[in-house]
């Protein structure tokens, strides 16, 4: 009941908007599709040579087959969660690492703050895609986990700057000063007074980082720098490019993965916009 009351109160205050609910609904539908889809298809049909190649959509194959003899519907079901997994792993690592650095830099200040700020600001000026291409191009054995780690390596700087800026503001609040007077240690103040007030910013940053990570992963895979032997949405687009699917009119090779990718980004974008109301009370009042 407390949870329902809290949700209702936030909705009435304008902090939970229809945009947020719509975004979460789209993401929930995609996750449900990824979770229950494998129970209704045969995983073998997503392997190379499992079915007749270049079959158009029809009763036998809902989304047709590609030039490698793979059922596109089955491939889509297994490729979607793998792409989401890479984005979530990169998001958790990037936001976790960035949040830790931002907390330390903003709360303790001094030389530690200066070093973290200089490193993060310097890396933000470097084209991330160029570094990712260089890293991915020099890895012998690429897997979905390695791909997620590569993307996460450059997904922490914006979170670090955002969290640091908020910590610098929060640490000057009166309740933080009261905690200091009461004898709380620096770490107690950090985790009991400052950290809870950062959660809306961290959640919004996580959604944005996941979106950026998925975009980076798909971009690298479309260039042929991903785990080409694994089923992902980016690899599906890459193989359709290699087979000249657009020129040959085989829309079912590249169309469905692009639709799923678009749905993922729309859901993440709407969710990010909705969470901004938690981080910015002025938006909630509007």
């Amino acid at each position: 009941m407390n949870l329902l009351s809290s949700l209702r109160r936030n909705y009435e205050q304008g902090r939970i908007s229809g945009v947020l609910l719509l975004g979460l609904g789209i993401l929930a539908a995609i996750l449900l599709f990824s979770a229950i889809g494998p129970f209704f298809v045969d995983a073998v049909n997503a392997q190379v040579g499992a079915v007749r190649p270049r079959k158009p959509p029809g009763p036998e194959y809902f989304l047709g087959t590609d030039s490698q003899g793979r059922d596109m519907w089955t491939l889509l079901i297994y490729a979607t969660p793998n792409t989401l997994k890479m984005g979530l792993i990169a998001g958790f690592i990037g936001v976790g690492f960035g949040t830790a650095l931002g907390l330390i830099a903003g709360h303790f200040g001094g030389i530690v703050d200066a070093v973290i700020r200089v490193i993060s600001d310097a890396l933000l000026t470097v084209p991330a895609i160029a570094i990712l291409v260089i890293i991915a191009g020099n890895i012998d054995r690429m897997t979905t986990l390695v791909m997620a780690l590569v993307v996460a390596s450059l997904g922490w700087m914006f979170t670090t700057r955002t969290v640091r800026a908020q910590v610098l503001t929060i640490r000057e609040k009166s309740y933080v000063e009261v905690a200091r007077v009461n004898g709380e240690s620096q770490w107690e103040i950090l985790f009991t007074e400052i950290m809870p007030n950062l959660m809306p910013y961290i959640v919004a940053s996580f959604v944005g980082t996941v979106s950026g990570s998925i975009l980076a992963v798909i971009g690298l895979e479309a260039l042929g720098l991903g785990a080409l032997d694994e089923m992902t949405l980016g690899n599906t687009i890459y193989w359709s490019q290699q087979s000249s699917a657009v020129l040959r009119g085989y829309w079912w090779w590249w169309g469905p993965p692009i639709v799923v990718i678009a749905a993922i980004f729309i859901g993440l974008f709407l969710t990010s916009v909705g969470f901004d109301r938690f981080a910015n009370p002025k938006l909630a009042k509007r």
Side-chain angles (χ1 to χ4, degrees), residues 94-171:
V95 171
F97 187 64
T99 298
L101 291 179
L103 285 170
I104 294 172
H107 185 62
F108 293 101
I111 186 65
V112 175
D113 178 30
V115 171
I116 294 175
R117 186 179 71 252
V118 169
I119 293 175
S120 61
D121 289 347
L123 289 177
L124 279 173
T125 62
V126 179
I129 188 63
I131 298 178
L132 291 176
V133 168
I134 294 173
I135 296 175
N138 287 277
I139 295 177
D140 295 331
R141 172 64 176 172
M142 183 64 74
T143 64
T144 54
L145 178 59
V146 174
M147 176 68 74
L149 294 176
V150 168
V151 174
S153 66
L154 293 175
W156 56 271
M157 292 87 71
F158 181 77
T159 302
T160 299
R161 291 190 62 183
T162 302
V163 171
R164 175 185 174 274
Q166 295 302 320
V167 172
L168 290 175
T169 301
I170 294 174
R171 73 177 186 178

Side-chain angles (χ1 to χ4, degrees), residues 181-204:
V181 174
N182 289 335
E184 292 188 15
S185 66
Q186 294 286 353
W187 292 104
E188 287 177 331
I189 293 174
L190 188 62
F191 288 105
T192 61
E193 305 295 339
I194 296 179
M195 186 69 175
N197 291 283
L198 288 174
M199 291 310 298
Y201 301 95
I202 294 174
V203 173

